[in-house]
mmCIF file of all heavy atoms in Angstrom:
data_model
loop_
_atom_site.group_PDB
_atom_site.id
_atom_site.type_symbol
_atom_site.label_atom_id
_atom_site.label_comp_id
_atom_site.label_asym_id
_atom_site.label_seq_id
_atom_site.Cartn_x
_atom_site.Cartn_y
_atom_site.Cartn_z
ATOM 1 N N ILE A 248 137.476 65.555 116.030
ATOM 2 C CA ILE A 248 136.721 66.799 116.201
ATOM 3 C C ILE A 248 136.136 66.913 117.552
ATOM 4 O O ILE A 248 136.159 67.931 118.185
ATOM 5 C CB ILE A 248 135.549 66.795 115.111
ATOM 6 C CG1 ILE A 248 136.223 67.039 113.724
ATOM 7 C CG2 ILE A 248 134.586 67.937 115.443
ATOM 8 C CD1 ILE A 248 135.287 66.813 112.584
ATOM 9 N N ALA A 249 135.660 65.797 118.137
ATOM 10 C CA ALA A 249 135.134 65.734 119.515
ATOM 11 C C ALA A 249 136.233 66.105 120.550
ATOM 12 O O ALA A 249 136.028 66.866 121.499
ATOM 13 C CB ALA A 249 134.511 64.374 119.792
ATOM 14 N N ALA A 250 137.392 65.488 120.378
ATOM 15 C CA ALA A 250 138.526 65.833 121.279
ATOM 16 C C ALA A 250 138.960 67.240 121.171
ATOM 17 O O ALA A 250 139.221 67.859 122.148
ATOM 18 C CB ALA A 250 139.752 64.907 120.861
ATOM 19 N N THR A 251 138.956 67.815 119.925
ATOM 20 C CA THR A 251 139.316 69.254 119.757
ATOM 21 C C THR A 251 138.219 70.110 120.564
ATOM 22 O O THR A 251 138.624 71.043 121.247
ATOM 23 C CB THR A 251 139.261 69.542 118.303
ATOM 24 O OG1 THR A 251 140.201 68.817 117.627
ATOM 25 C CG2 THR A 251 139.647 71.072 118.115
ATOM 26 N N ALA A 252 136.987 69.799 120.411
ATOM 27 C CA ALA A 252 135.863 70.530 121.092
ATOM 28 C C ALA A 252 136.048 70.401 122.625
ATOM 29 O O ALA A 252 135.967 71.369 123.348
ATOM 30 C CB ALA A 252 134.549 70.115 120.687
ATOM 31 N N LEU A 253 136.246 69.208 123.112
ATOM 32 C CA LEU A 253 136.416 68.981 124.546
ATOM 33 C C LEU A 253 137.637 69.733 125.131
ATOM 34 O O LEU A 253 137.694 70.127 126.242
ATOM 35 C CB LEU A 253 136.538 67.467 124.859
ATOM 36 C CG LEU A 253 135.233 66.712 124.664
ATOM 37 C CD1 LEU A 253 135.447 65.227 124.811
ATOM 38 C CD2 LEU A 253 134.201 67.197 125.654
ATOM 39 N N LEU A 254 138.663 69.884 124.276
ATOM 40 C CA LEU A 254 139.898 70.580 124.871
ATOM 41 C C LEU A 254 139.704 72.038 124.727
ATOM 42 O O LEU A 254 140.305 72.800 125.463
ATOM 43 C CB LEU A 254 141.160 70.159 123.984
ATOM 44 C CG LEU A 254 141.668 68.752 124.284
ATOM 45 C CD1 LEU A 254 142.713 68.382 123.273
ATOM 46 C CD2 LEU A 254 142.188 68.612 125.700
ATOM 47 N N PHE A 255 138.892 72.518 123.779
ATOM 48 C CA PHE A 255 138.709 73.934 123.618
ATOM 49 C C PHE A 255 137.676 74.551 124.521
ATOM 50 O O PHE A 255 137.686 75.706 124.881
ATOM 51 C CB PHE A 255 138.334 74.263 122.180
ATOM 52 C CG PHE A 255 138.328 75.712 121.824
ATOM 53 C CD1 PHE A 255 139.578 76.379 121.663
ATOM 54 C CD2 PHE A 255 137.175 76.445 121.645
ATOM 55 C CE1 PHE A 255 139.555 77.683 121.389
ATOM 56 C CE2 PHE A 255 137.223 77.728 121.384
ATOM 57 C CZ PHE A 255 138.408 78.424 121.201
ATOM 58 N N ILE A 256 136.628 73.765 124.930
ATOM 59 C CA ILE A 256 135.565 74.234 125.717
ATOM 60 C C ILE A 256 135.965 74.913 127.076
ATOM 61 O O ILE A 256 135.482 75.951 127.404
ATOM 62 C CB ILE A 256 134.433 73.138 125.906
ATOM 63 C CG1 ILE A 256 133.673 72.936 124.613
ATOM 64 C CG2 ILE A 256 133.531 73.483 127.029
ATOM 65 C CD1 ILE A 256 132.718 71.720 124.663
ATOM 66 N N PRO A 257 136.912 74.313 127.789
ATOM 67 C CA PRO A 257 137.227 74.925 129.048
ATOM 68 C C PRO A 257 138.095 76.224 128.932
ATOM 69 O O PRO A 257 138.196 76.935 129.874
ATOM 70 C CB PRO A 257 138.174 73.854 129.714
ATOM 71 C CG PRO A 257 138.019 72.588 128.964
ATOM 72 C CD PRO A 257 137.530 72.963 127.626
ATOM 73 N N LEU A 258 138.507 76.547 127.738
ATOM 74 C CA LEU A 258 139.313 77.787 127.543
ATOM 75 C C LEU A 258 138.392 78.977 127.559
ATOM 76 O O LEU A 258 137.262 78.896 127.195
ATOM 77 C CB LEU A 258 140.094 77.676 126.226
ATOM 78 C CG LEU A 258 141.173 76.619 126.128
ATOM 79 C CD1 LEU A 258 141.731 76.638 124.747
ATOM 80 C CD2 LEU A 258 142.259 76.777 127.140
ATOM 81 N N ASP A 259 138.975 80.093 127.946
ATOM 82 C CA ASP A 259 138.216 81.410 127.831
ATOM 83 C C ASP A 259 138.098 81.733 126.312
ATOM 84 O O ASP A 259 139.049 81.519 125.507
ATOM 85 C CB ASP A 259 139.074 82.454 128.504
ATOM 86 C CG ASP A 259 139.067 82.284 130.035
ATOM 87 O OD1 ASP A 259 138.195 81.642 130.544
ATOM 88 O OD2 ASP A 259 140.076 82.802 130.604
ATOM 89 N N ASN A 260 137.025 82.235 125.951
ATOM 90 C CA ASN A 260 136.712 82.675 124.570
ATOM 91 C C ASN A 260 137.278 84.128 124.384
ATOM 92 O O ASN A 260 136.503 85.049 124.351
ATOM 93 C CB ASN A 260 135.279 82.552 124.214
ATOM 94 C CG ASN A 260 134.822 81.115 124.060
ATOM 95 O OD1 ASN A 260 135.567 80.183 123.725
ATOM 96 N ND2 ASN A 260 133.587 80.820 124.406
ATOM 97 N N ASN A 261 138.602 84.189 124.255
ATOM 98 C CA ASN A 261 139.154 85.490 123.929
ATOM 99 C C ASN A 261 139.949 85.426 122.698
ATOM 100 O O ASN A 261 140.113 84.405 122.071
ATOM 101 C CB ASN A 261 140.046 86.003 125.178
ATOM 102 C CG ASN A 261 141.119 85.023 125.501
ATOM 103 O OD1 ASN A 261 141.633 84.304 124.543
ATOM 104 N ND2 ASN A 261 141.604 85.017 126.728
ATOM 105 N N ALA A 262 140.376 86.610 122.227
ATOM 106 C CA ALA A 262 140.956 86.686 120.906
ATOM 107 C C ALA A 262 142.283 85.875 120.842
ATOM 108 O O ALA A 262 142.607 85.275 119.774
ATOM 109 C CB ALA A 262 141.285 88.129 120.539
ATOM 110 N N LEU A 263 143.043 85.805 121.950
ATOM 111 C CA LEU A 263 144.320 85.089 122.036
ATOM 112 C C LEU A 263 144.056 83.616 121.724
ATOM 113 O O LEU A 263 144.706 82.975 120.884
ATOM 114 C CB LEU A 263 145.028 85.335 123.295
ATOM 115 C CG LEU A 263 146.323 84.488 123.417
ATOM 116 C CD1 LEU A 263 147.391 84.978 122.440
ATOM 117 C CD2 LEU A 263 146.846 84.664 124.867
ATOM 118 N N ASN A 264 143.196 83.001 122.471
ATOM 119 C CA ASN A 264 143.016 81.569 122.279
ATOM 120 C C ASN A 264 142.451 81.146 120.991
ATOM 121 O O ASN A 264 142.848 80.187 120.368
ATOM 122 C CB ASN A 264 141.925 81.057 123.432
ATOM 123 C CG ASN A 264 142.575 81.075 124.807
ATOM 124 O OD1 ASN A 264 143.842 81.050 124.949
ATOM 125 N ND2 ASN A 264 141.758 81.171 125.839
ATOM 126 N N ILE A 265 141.517 81.989 120.474
ATOM 127 C CA ILE A 265 140.898 81.665 119.192
ATOM 128 C C ILE A 265 141.919 81.886 118.107
ATOM 129 O O ILE A 265 142.063 81.037 117.137
ATOM 130 C CB ILE A 265 139.681 82.524 118.951
ATOM 131 C CG1 ILE A 265 138.618 82.137 119.905
ATOM 132 C CG2 ILE A 265 139.130 82.426 117.481
ATOM 133 C CD1 ILE A 265 137.377 83.024 119.923
ATOM 134 N N SER A 266 142.782 82.895 118.177
ATOM 135 C CA SER A 266 143.799 83.047 117.116
ATOM 136 C C SER A 266 144.849 82.066 117.185
ATOM 137 O O SER A 266 145.374 81.668 116.164
ATOM 138 C CB SER A 266 144.461 84.479 117.369
ATOM 139 O OG SER A 266 145.079 84.549 118.570
ATOM 140 N N VAL A 267 145.268 81.560 118.376
ATOM 141 C CA VAL A 267 146.214 80.426 118.506
ATOM 142 C C VAL A 267 145.697 79.191 117.763
ATOM 143 O O VAL A 267 146.400 78.542 117.063
ATOM 144 C CB VAL A 267 146.567 80.175 119.900
ATOM 145 C CG1 VAL A 267 147.277 78.864 120.107
ATOM 146 C CG2 VAL A 267 147.449 81.312 120.503
ATOM 147 N N VAL A 268 144.346 78.932 118.007
ATOM 148 C CA VAL A 268 143.778 77.751 117.388
ATOM 149 C C VAL A 268 143.763 77.869 115.834
ATOM 150 O O VAL A 268 144.145 76.914 115.099
ATOM 151 C CB VAL A 268 142.380 77.459 117.899
ATOM 152 C CG1 VAL A 268 141.621 76.450 117.034
ATOM 153 C CG2 VAL A 268 142.383 77.039 119.405
ATOM 154 N N ILE A 269 143.382 79.071 115.409
ATOM 155 C CA ILE A 269 143.313 79.290 113.896
ATOM 156 C C ILE A 269 144.676 79.260 113.278
ATOM 157 O O ILE A 269 144.869 78.634 112.302
ATOM 158 C CB ILE A 269 142.562 80.616 113.669
ATOM 159 C CG1 ILE A 269 141.136 80.462 114.015
ATOM 160 C CG2 ILE A 269 142.754 80.957 112.226
ATOM 161 C CD1 ILE A 269 140.361 81.763 113.937
ATOM 162 N N ILE A 270 145.655 79.888 113.972
ATOM 163 C CA ILE A 270 147.042 79.913 113.397
ATOM 164 C C ILE A 270 147.609 78.504 113.476
ATOM 165 O O ILE A 270 148.247 78.099 112.427
ATOM 166 C CB ILE A 270 147.841 80.900 114.145
ATOM 167 C CG1 ILE A 270 147.464 82.336 113.870
ATOM 168 C CG2 ILE A 270 149.348 80.740 113.854
ATOM 169 C CD1 ILE A 270 148.073 83.364 114.785
ATOM 170 N N THR A 271 147.435 77.709 114.439
ATOM 171 C CA THR A 271 147.888 76.378 114.452
ATOM 172 C C THR A 271 147.339 75.542 113.374
ATOM 173 O O THR A 271 148.026 74.781 112.693
ATOM 174 C CB THR A 271 147.610 75.737 115.841
ATOM 175 O OG1 THR A 271 148.243 76.594 116.836
ATOM 176 C CG2 THR A 271 148.236 74.347 115.960
ATOM 177 N N PHE A 272 145.995 75.628 113.187
ATOM 178 C CA PHE A 272 145.377 74.937 112.095
ATOM 179 C C PHE A 272 145.907 75.285 110.806
ATOM 180 O O PHE A 272 146.197 74.392 109.988
ATOM 181 C CB PHE A 272 143.790 75.143 112.211
ATOM 182 C CG PHE A 272 143.098 74.529 110.995
ATOM 183 C CD1 PHE A 272 142.786 73.182 110.983
ATOM 184 C CD2 PHE A 272 142.685 75.279 109.948
ATOM 185 C CE1 PHE A 272 142.135 72.576 109.946
ATOM 186 C CE2 PHE A 272 142.026 74.729 108.855
ATOM 187 C CZ PHE A 272 141.753 73.425 108.867
ATOM 188 N N LEU A 273 146.103 76.567 110.539
ATOM 189 C CA LEU A 273 146.684 77.011 109.251
ATOM 190 C C LEU A 273 148.067 76.530 109.051
ATOM 191 O O LEU A 273 148.446 76.143 107.958
ATOM 192 C CB LEU A 273 146.607 78.538 109.142
ATOM 193 C CG LEU A 273 145.173 79.088 109.045
ATOM 194 C CD1 LEU A 273 145.178 80.560 109.135
ATOM 195 C CD2 LEU A 273 144.417 78.540 107.753
ATOM 196 N N LEU A 274 148.857 76.557 110.073
ATOM 197 C CA LEU A 274 150.248 76.069 110.020
ATOM 198 C C LEU A 274 150.327 74.532 109.688
ATOM 199 O O LEU A 274 151.063 74.127 108.848
ATOM 200 C CB LEU A 274 151.054 76.355 111.258
ATOM 201 C CG LEU A 274 151.447 77.762 111.511
ATOM 202 C CD1 LEU A 274 152.060 77.998 112.885
ATOM 203 C CD2 LEU A 274 152.468 78.261 110.422
ATOM 204 N N ILE A 275 149.477 73.802 110.355
ATOM 205 C CA ILE A 275 149.451 72.370 110.117
ATOM 206 C C ILE A 275 148.943 72.056 108.673
ATOM 207 O O ILE A 275 149.476 71.156 107.994
ATOM 208 C CB ILE A 275 148.556 71.674 111.168
ATOM 209 C CG1 ILE A 275 149.318 71.625 112.504
ATOM 210 C CG2 ILE A 275 148.280 70.173 110.762
ATOM 211 C CD1 ILE A 275 148.440 71.178 113.677
ATOM 212 N N THR A 276 147.939 72.796 108.275
ATOM 213 C CA THR A 276 147.321 72.515 106.935
ATOM 214 C C THR A 276 148.106 72.996 105.770
ATOM 215 O O THR A 276 148.289 72.242 104.793
ATOM 216 C CB THR A 276 145.904 73.145 106.926
ATOM 217 O OG1 THR A 276 145.143 72.732 108.013
ATOM 218 C CG2 THR A 276 145.184 72.744 105.619
ATOM 219 N N PHE A 277 148.766 74.181 105.866
ATOM 220 C CA PHE A 277 149.359 74.712 104.657
ATOM 221 C C PHE A 277 150.828 74.832 104.689
ATOM 222 O O PHE A 277 151.411 75.391 103.783
ATOM 223 C CB PHE A 277 148.694 76.134 104.478
ATOM 224 C CG PHE A 277 147.261 76.147 104.211
ATOM 225 C CD1 PHE A 277 146.375 76.674 105.069
ATOM 226 C CD2 PHE A 277 146.775 75.492 103.042
ATOM 227 C CE1 PHE A 277 144.965 76.579 104.878
ATOM 228 C CE2 PHE A 277 145.461 75.458 102.783
ATOM 229 C CZ PHE A 277 144.520 76.006 103.668
ATOM 230 N N THR A 278 151.540 74.390 105.670
ATOM 231 C CA THR A 278 152.960 74.402 105.768
ATOM 232 C C THR A 278 153.502 72.968 105.861
ATOM 233 O O THR A 278 152.728 72.076 106.194
ATOM 234 C CB THR A 278 153.560 75.273 106.848
ATOM 235 O OG1 THR A 278 153.220 74.711 108.118
ATOM 236 C CG2 THR A 278 153.014 76.703 106.733
ATOM 237 N N LYS A 279 154.749 72.810 105.729
ATOM 238 C CA LYS A 279 155.388 71.520 105.921
ATOM 239 C C LYS A 279 156.193 71.399 107.264
ATOM 240 O O LYS A 279 157.049 70.622 107.392
ATOM 241 C CB LYS A 279 156.318 71.189 104.804
ATOM 242 C CG LYS A 279 155.575 71.029 103.456
ATOM 243 C CD LYS A 279 156.430 70.532 102.340
ATOM 244 C CE LYS A 279 155.595 70.342 101.127
ATOM 245 N NZ LYS A 279 156.374 69.749 100.039
#
């Protein structure tokens, strides 16, 4: 969780970055 936060903090808080993070999390969690 700390590594995730440290990698995400330097990014701009725009819709593209947040959606990429959310979509990646959902793909890892709910698909094979």
Side-chain angles (χ1 to χ4, degrees):
I248 292 170
T251 303
L253 289 173
L254 289 172
F255 189 74
I256 286 172
L258 296 176
D259 295 332
N260 288 331
N261 58 28
L263 176 66
N264 290 337
I265 294 172
S266 63
V267 166
V268 169
I269 292 171
I270 289 169
T271 304
F272 174 75
L273 293 174
L274 285 173
I275 289 173
T276 304
F277 297 113
T278 66
K279 293 187 179 190

